[in-house]
Amino acid sequence: VGRWDGARWSWSLQLGAPELDARTRFAFDAHRGRIVALQPGPAMVEVHEWDGAQWWSLPAATGPTTRTEPAFAFDPTADRCVLYGGTAGGSALGDCWGWDGSTWTLLSGNATPGPRSGAALAFAQTLGGLMLYGGDASTTTWRLAGASWHAVATAHAPAPRARALLVQDPLGMLLCG
């Protein structure tokens, strides 16, 4: 594990650390103070968490089926990590799940953004919800507030993007990729 203190990197071998790769998605659960790592498993997605000292692999009895390229971010208003879409068996998915640290919950709201893989997802404090953009050939923007999705009308939408990153900055949202 590499740790950055603002000036330098330090490295340590962590016993029990999962083998994470480019398919892994990360979110910081600010409510519980843990980094949540999500990766495809044999049948379901696998959840691993880092508390700053050790890794935890958290089995779940139910949850989202295994997939690649889901959107994944922490929602501080609901104190949960949210997974949206991804690809399984060559098809894009349009399901939405919440992870509270022990249980997956299928979030079924009103209209949804529809199947998409490689979308960008991040919390926007000024908009009070998670913002989802792009994925596959989509140029639409959606906001998740609670369990309800709302299409967001935008001007000057960027070209279709997959595997982009979306983060909040002091002026709004920054889309890269």
Side-chain angles (χ1 to χ4, degrees), residues 22 46 52-54 57 59 63-64 70 75 78-80 101 103 126 131 134-135 146 161 167 176:
E46 295 177 356
Q54 77 179 65
S57 293
D75 181 352
D79 288 333
R80 66 181 174 213
T103 306
T126 56
M131 302 302 294
R161 301 198 191 289
V167 295
C176 302

PDB file of all heavy atoms in Angstrom, residues 22 46 52-54 57 59 63-64 70 75 78-80 101 103 126 131 134-135 146 161 167 176:
ATOM      1  N   ALA A  22      -7.057  -2.803 -12.299  1.00  0.00           N
ATOM      2  CA  ALA A  22      -7.690  -1.685 -13.004  1.00  0.00           C
ATOM      3  C   ALA A  22      -9.211  -1.778 -13.024  1.00  0.00           C
ATOM      4  O   ALA A  22      -9.886  -0.787 -13.276  1.00  0.00           O
ATOM      5  CB  ALA A  22      -7.155  -1.609 -14.437  1.00  0.00           C
ATOM      6  N   GLU A  46     -17.311  -7.983  -5.180  1.00  0.00           N
ATOM      7  CA  GLU A  46     -16.645  -8.176  -3.900  1.00  0.00           C
ATOM      8  C   GLU A  46     -16.331  -6.818  -3.297  1.00  0.00           C
ATOM      9  O   GLU A  46     -15.922  -5.896  -4.009  1.00  0.00           O
ATOM     10  CB  GLU A  46     -15.362  -8.973  -4.085  1.00  0.00           C
ATOM     11  CG  GLU A  46     -15.600 -10.383  -4.572  1.00  0.00           C
ATOM     12  CD  GLU A  46     -14.313 -11.155  -4.818  1.00  0.00           C
ATOM     13  OE1 GLU A  46     -13.212 -10.569  -4.680  1.00  0.00           O
ATOM     14  OE2 GLU A  46     -14.415 -12.349  -5.139  1.00  0.00           O
ATOM     15  N   GLY A  52      -7.266   2.300   7.209  1.00  0.00           N
ATOM     16  CA  GLY A  52      -6.032   3.031   7.491  1.00  0.00           C
ATOM     17  C   GLY A  52      -4.974   2.159   8.127  1.00  0.00           C
ATOM     18  O   GLY A  52      -3.804   2.518   8.141  1.00  0.00           O
ATOM     19  N   ALA A  53      -5.395   1.019   8.673  1.00  0.00           N
ATOM     20  CA  ALA A  53      -4.451   0.103   9.306  1.00  0.00           C
ATOM     21  C   ALA A  53      -4.534  -1.303   8.725  1.00  0.00           C
ATOM     22  O   ALA A  53      -3.533  -1.990   8.644  1.00  0.00           O
ATOM     23  CB  ALA A  53      -4.708   0.051  10.811  1.00  0.00           C
ATOM     24  N   GLN A  54      -5.739  -1.728   8.336  1.00  0.00           N
ATOM     25  CA  GLN A  54      -5.865  -3.075   7.793  1.00  0.00           C
ATOM     26  C   GLN A  54      -7.005  -3.153   6.778  1.00  0.00           C
ATOM     27  O   GLN A  54      -7.880  -2.301   6.741  1.00  0.00           O
ATOM     28  CB  GLN A  54      -6.071  -4.104   8.892  1.00  0.00           C
ATOM     29  CG  GLN A  54      -7.472  -4.146   9.473  1.00  0.00           C
ATOM     30  CD  GLN A  54      -7.598  -5.199  10.547  1.00  0.00           C
ATOM     31  OE1 GLN A  54      -6.958  -5.095  11.591  1.00  0.00           O
ATOM     32  NE2 GLN A  54      -8.397  -6.212  10.312  1.00  0.00           N
ATOM     33  N   SER A  57     -12.250  -7.858   4.099  1.00  0.00           N
ATOM     34  CA  SER A  57     -13.048  -8.382   3.001  1.00  0.00           C
ATOM     35  C   SER A  57     -14.417  -8.667   3.574  1.00  0.00           C
ATOM     36  O   SER A  57     -14.554  -9.385   4.568  1.00  0.00           O
ATOM     37  CB  SER A  57     -12.433  -9.660   2.430  1.00  0.00           C
ATOM     38  OG  SER A  57     -11.214  -9.350   1.802  1.00  0.00           O
ATOM     39  N   PRO A  59     -17.978 -10.161   3.097  1.00  0.00           N
ATOM     40  CA  PRO A  59     -18.921 -10.968   2.323  1.00  0.00           C
ATOM     41  C   PRO A  59     -20.344 -10.448   2.519  1.00  0.00           C
ATOM     42  O   PRO A  59     -20.690  -9.952   3.583  1.00  0.00           O
ATOM     43  CB  PRO A  59     -18.756 -12.363   2.927  1.00  0.00           C
ATOM     44  CG  PRO A  59     -18.265 -12.132   4.317  1.00  0.00           C
ATOM     45  CD  PRO A  59     -17.470 -10.856   4.269  1.00  0.00           C
ATOM     46  N   GLY A  63     -26.590  -9.019  -3.176  1.00  0.00           N
ATOM     47  CA  GLY A  63     -26.019  -7.785  -3.704  1.00  0.00           C
ATOM     48  C   GLY A  63     -25.949  -7.826  -5.212  1.00  0.00           C
ATOM     49  O   GLY A  63     -26.492  -8.728  -5.854  1.00  0.00           O
ATOM     50  N   PRO A  64     -25.275  -6.846  -5.795  1.00  0.00           N
ATOM     51  CA  PRO A  64     -25.187  -6.777  -7.253  1.00  0.00           C
ATOM     52  C   PRO A  64     -24.367  -7.923  -7.835  1.00  0.00           C
ATOM     53  O   PRO A  64     -23.384  -8.363  -7.242  1.00  0.00           O
ATOM     54  CB  PRO A  64     -24.516  -5.427  -7.516  1.00  0.00           C
ATOM     55  CG  PRO A  64     -23.933  -4.998  -6.218  1.00  0.00           C
ATOM     56  CD  PRO A  64     -24.617  -5.737  -5.130  1.00  0.00           C
ATOM     57  N   PRO A  70     -18.580  -0.305 -13.439  1.00  0.00           N
ATOM     58  CA  PRO A  70     -19.717   0.401 -12.854  1.00  0.00           C
ATOM     59  C   PRO A  70     -19.292   1.797 -12.406  1.00  0.00           C
ATOM     60  O   PRO A  70     -18.104   2.055 -12.197  1.00  0.00           O
ATOM     61  CB  PRO A  70     -20.076  -0.453 -11.640  1.00  0.00           C
ATOM     62  CG  PRO A  70     -18.758  -1.011 -11.206  1.00  0.00           C
ATOM     63  CD  PRO A  70     -17.997  -1.260 -12.492  1.00  0.00           C
ATOM     64  N   ASP A  75     -22.221   8.743  -1.150  1.00  0.00           N
ATOM     65  CA  ASP A  75     -23.280   9.747  -1.016  1.00  0.00           C
ATOM     66  C   ASP A  75     -23.376  10.144   0.457  1.00  0.00           C
ATOM     67  O   ASP A  75     -23.935   9.396   1.260  1.00  0.00           O
ATOM     68  CB  ASP A  75     -24.604   9.166  -1.501  1.00  0.00           C
ATOM     69  CG  ASP A  75     -25.748  10.160  -1.416  1.00  0.00           C
ATOM     70  OD1 ASP A  75     -25.571  11.255  -0.838  1.00  0.00           O
ATOM     71  OD2 ASP A  75     -26.840   9.829  -1.919  1.00  0.00           O
ATOM     72  N   ALA A  78     -26.881  10.257   2.293  1.00  0.00           N
ATOM     73  CA  ALA A  78     -27.511   8.987   2.638  1.00  0.00           C
ATOM     74  C   ALA A  78     -26.557   8.059   3.405  1.00  0.00           C
ATOM     75  O   ALA A  78     -26.953   6.957   3.767  1.00  0.00           O
ATOM     76  CB  ALA A  78     -28.000   8.291   1.371  1.00  0.00           C
ATOM     77  N   ASP A  79     -25.318   8.508   3.639  1.00  0.00           N
ATOM     78  CA  ASP A  79     -24.298   7.708   4.336  1.00  0.00           C
ATOM     79  C   ASP A  79     -24.147   6.316   3.728  1.00  0.00           C
ATOM     80  O   ASP A  79     -24.190   5.295   4.429  1.00  0.00           O
ATOM     81  CB  ASP A  79     -24.623   7.581   5.836  1.00  0.00           C
ATOM     82  CG  ASP A  79     -24.389   8.872   6.577  1.00  0.00           C
ATOM     83  OD1 ASP A  79     -23.538   9.671   6.129  1.00  0.00           O
ATOM     84  OD2 ASP A  79     -25.053   9.099   7.599  1.00  0.00           O
ATOM     85  N   ARG A  80     -23.966   6.284   2.406  1.00  0.00           N
ATOM     86  CA  ARG A  80     -23.782   5.001   1.723  1.00  0.00           C
ATOM     87  C   ARG A  80     -22.987   5.217   0.446  1.00  0.00           C
ATOM     88  O   ARG A  80     -22.957   6.307  -0.123  1.00  0.00           O
ATOM     89  CB  ARG A  80     -25.121   4.364   1.387  1.00  0.00           C
ATOM     90  CG  ARG A  80     -25.894   5.184   0.369  1.00  0.00           C
ATOM     91  CD  ARG A  80     -27.233   4.575   0.039  1.00  0.00           C
ATOM     92  NE  ARG A  80     -27.967   5.488  -0.827  1.00  0.00           N
ATOM     93  CZ  ARG A  80     -29.261   5.634  -0.817  1.00  0.00           C
ATOM     94  NH1 ARG A  80     -30.001   4.925   0.008  1.00  0.00           N
ATOM     95  NH2 ARG A  80     -29.843   6.479  -1.641  1.00  0.00           N
ATOM     96  N   GLY A 101     -22.026  -0.482   4.378  1.00  0.00           N
ATOM     97  CA  GLY A 101     -20.935  -1.017   5.175  1.00  0.00           C
ATOM     98  C   GLY A 101     -21.163  -2.457   5.585  1.00  0.00           C
ATOM     99  O   GLY A 101     -20.235  -3.143   6.011  1.00  0.00           O
ATOM    100  N   THR A 103     -24.551  -4.124   4.231  1.00  0.00           N
ATOM    101  CA  THR A 103     -25.657  -4.641   3.430  1.00  0.00           C
ATOM    102  C   THR A 103     -25.791  -3.885   2.116  1.00  0.00           C
ATOM    103  O   THR A 103     -25.676  -2.660   2.086  1.00  0.00           O
ATOM    104  CB  THR A 103     -26.989  -4.495   4.211  1.00  0.00           C
ATOM    105  OG1 THR A 103     -26.848  -5.111   5.485  1.00  0.00           O
ATOM    106  CG2 THR A 103     -28.143  -5.125   3.465  1.00  0.00           C
ATOM    107  N   THR A 126     -23.375  21.293  -3.898  1.00  0.00           N
ATOM    108  CA  THR A 126     -24.256  22.390  -4.286  1.00  0.00           C
ATOM    109  C   THR A 126     -25.577  21.909  -4.884  1.00  0.00           C
ATOM    110  O   THR A 126     -26.559  22.634  -4.862  1.00  0.00           O
ATOM    111  CB  THR A 126     -23.559  23.315  -5.302  1.00  0.00           C
ATOM    112  OG1 THR A 126     -23.141  22.521  -6.418  1.00  0.00           O
ATOM    113  CG2 THR A 126     -22.363  24.006  -4.682  1.00  0.00           C
ATOM    114  N   MET A 131     -24.134  13.018  -8.904  1.00  0.00           N
ATOM    115  CA  MET A 131     -24.293  13.353 -10.317  1.00  0.00           C
ATOM    116  C   MET A 131     -23.685  12.230 -11.151  1.00  0.00           C
ATOM    117  O   MET A 131     -22.580  11.779 -10.868  1.00  0.00           O
ATOM    118  CB  MET A 131     -23.596  14.674 -10.638  1.00  0.00           C
ATOM    119  CG  MET A 131     -24.086  15.849  -9.810  1.00  0.00           C
ATOM    120  SD  MET A 131     -25.858  16.171  -9.978  1.00  0.00           S
ATOM    121  CE  MET A 131     -25.950  16.670 -11.686  1.00  0.00           C
ATOM    122  N   GLY A 134     -22.574  10.418 -18.609  1.00  0.00           N
ATOM    123  CA  GLY A 134     -21.956   9.632 -19.665  1.00  0.00           C
ATOM    124  C   GLY A 134     -22.061   8.142 -19.485  1.00  0.00           C
ATOM    125  O   GLY A 134     -23.014   7.611 -18.935  1.00  0.00           O
ATOM    126  N   GLY A 135     -21.027   7.485 -19.976  1.00  0.00           N
ATOM    127  CA  GLY A 135     -21.019   6.041 -20.052  1.00  0.00           C
ATOM    128  C   GLY A 135     -21.418   5.629 -21.450  1.00  0.00           C
ATOM    129  O   GLY A 135     -22.352   6.193 -22.031  1.00  0.00           O
ATOM    130  N   GLY A 146     -31.661  10.861  -2.664  1.00  0.00           N
ATOM    131  CA  GLY A 146     -32.360   9.782  -1.959  1.00  0.00           C
ATOM    132  C   GLY A 146     -32.325   8.538  -2.823  1.00  0.00           C
ATOM    133  O   GLY A 146     -31.274   8.039  -3.176  1.00  0.00           O
ATOM    134  N   ARG A 161     -18.669  10.234 -23.420  1.00  0.00           N
ATOM    135  CA  ARG A 161     -17.460   9.833 -22.713  1.00  0.00           C
ATOM    136  C   ARG A 161     -17.730   8.554 -21.939  1.00  0.00           C
ATOM    137  O   ARG A 161     -18.758   8.404 -21.316  1.00  0.00           O
ATOM    138  CB  ARG A 161     -17.031  10.905 -21.721  1.00  0.00           C
ATOM    139  CG  ARG A 161     -16.768  12.237 -22.380  1.00  0.00           C
ATOM    140  CD  ARG A 161     -15.952  13.131 -21.491  1.00  0.00           C
ATOM    141  NE  ARG A 161     -15.881  14.497 -21.954  1.00  0.00           N
ATOM    142  CZ  ARG A 161     -15.217  14.912 -23.006  1.00  0.00           C
ATOM    143  NH1 ARG A 161     -14.574  14.051 -23.744  1.00  0.00           N
ATOM    144  NH2 ARG A 161     -15.186  16.177 -23.338  1.00  0.00           N
ATOM    145  N   VAL A 167     -15.507  14.882 -10.533  1.00  0.00           N
ATOM    146  CA  VAL A 167     -15.240  15.292  -9.155  1.00  0.00           C
ATOM    147  C   VAL A 167     -15.810  16.674  -8.927  1.00  0.00           C
ATOM    148  O   VAL A 167     -15.951  17.464  -9.856  1.00  0.00           O
ATOM    149  CB  VAL A 167     -13.719  15.293  -8.816  1.00  0.00           C
ATOM    150  CG1 VAL A 167     -13.146  13.898  -8.862  1.00  0.00           C
ATOM    151  CG2 VAL A 167     -12.958  16.212  -9.732  1.00  0.00           C
ATOM    152  N   CYS A 176     -13.278  14.831 -16.396  1.00  0.00           N
ATOM    153  CA  CYS A 176     -12.000  14.578 -17.058  1.00  0.00           C
ATOM    154  C   CYS A 176     -12.064  13.259 -17.791  1.00  0.00           C
ATOM    155  O   CYS A 176     -12.580  12.274 -17.272  1.00  0.00           O
ATOM    156  CB  CYS A 176     -10.871  14.504 -16.033  1.00  0.00           C
ATOM    157  SG  CYS A 176     -10.696  15.962 -15.027  1.00  0.00           S
TER     158      CYS A 176
END
